[in-house]
Structure formats: structure tokens, C-alpha cells
Amino acid sequence: QVQWMESGGGLVQAGGSLRLSCAASGSIFSINVMGWYRQAPGKQRELVADITSGGSTTYADSVKGRFTISRDIAKNTVYLQMNSLKPEDTAVYYCKVVRLTIAARYDYWGQGTQVTVSS
């Protein structure tokens, strides 16, 4: 079974930048949407940004203008460039991939990567 692995998290000061990556462990086809979610302690998991197979993007209002989502279709990889980070961006970030076939929908989640922004 294909697994998705995030990387790029860490500790950064406010105003700094990080780039998250999420890649598949093997070949996978018919990916429809790739996205990033985050979950802070005591809060629900929320959408940060996603990108469709056609390149359309959606961003949470809190990250618009600071974060950019992109994907490399050939590499089955999705990226999240995070600039001007704020302490409130501190959370575990998860990638999510939605794969659609004629018969079914498959949702895949990565294991998460911690992002900590110090003030």
C-alpha cells in the first residue's frame, strides 16, 4: 500500500520560513486533490491549503498571502512553502491525498510533521 511521508517541519522563529514536502512511497495514479491540514493542541484539524489535479488552489484565510501550495505530478509530491510564519501557525501538519477511480474514492493521510514557531 502506498504511504505518504511528510518532511520539512521544525522549529523556526516568527517571521521565518519553512518548506514542507509530502511524497508517495511508490507509484500511484488518478490523484485528484492534494492538500495540507494542521492540528494545534486542543483544536480540530483544519484545512490549510489544497490543490486539484487541474491546478486550482484553496487557502485558509489565515494563511493567504503567506503560504503557497504546489505539486510535482511526475514525482507525486506536494509542497507547502510557508513564509512570514507566526506563533499561531504552530501545529502538526498533515498531508492528505484524494484519489478517485471509477469505482471508489481513496483518502490517504501522512503521519504528520511538527511545525513550531517561536515568538
Side-chain angles (χ1 to χ4, degrees):
Q1 183 175 356
V2 174
Q3 293 184 330
W4 294 87
M5 300 296 293
E6 299 103 334
S7 61
L11 173 64
V12 64
Q13 289 187 334
S17 298
L18 285 173
R19 188 191 193 211
L20 305 183
S21 300
C22 178
S25 61
S27 297
I28 187 168
F29 302 95
S30 303
I31 293 174
N32 183 255
V33 182
M34 305 178 82
W36 290 93
Y37 287 70
R38 67 186 180 187
Q39 187 166 19
K43 294 187 177 182
Q44 290 187 333
R45 191 173 297 188
E46 62 176 1
L47 173 69
V48 176
D50 64 24
I51 182 167
T52 69
S53 56
S56 297
T57 57
T58 301
Y59 292 93
D61 288 342
S62 59
V63 307
K64 284 181 180 177
R66 300 188 298 122
F67 291 10
T68 302
I69 189 170
S70 61
R71 64 188 288 179
D72 185 327
I73 295 175
K75 294 182 179 180
N76 281 331
T77 301
V78 61
Y79 305 96
L80 185 68
Q81 178 66 43
M82 305 185 294
N83 299 328
S84 302
L85 282 161
K86 304 175 181 180
E88 50 264 43
D89 295 318
T90 295
V92 178
Y93 284 70
Y94 300 88
C95 71
K96 179 183 177 181
V97 175
V98 178
R99 176 173 173 252
L100 297 175
T101 68
I102 294 175
R105 166 183 169 142
Y106 302 89
D107 288 8
Y108 303 92
W109 288 92
Q111 84 288 354
T113 185
Q114 177 70 46
V115 171
T116 303
V117 184
S118 63
S119 57

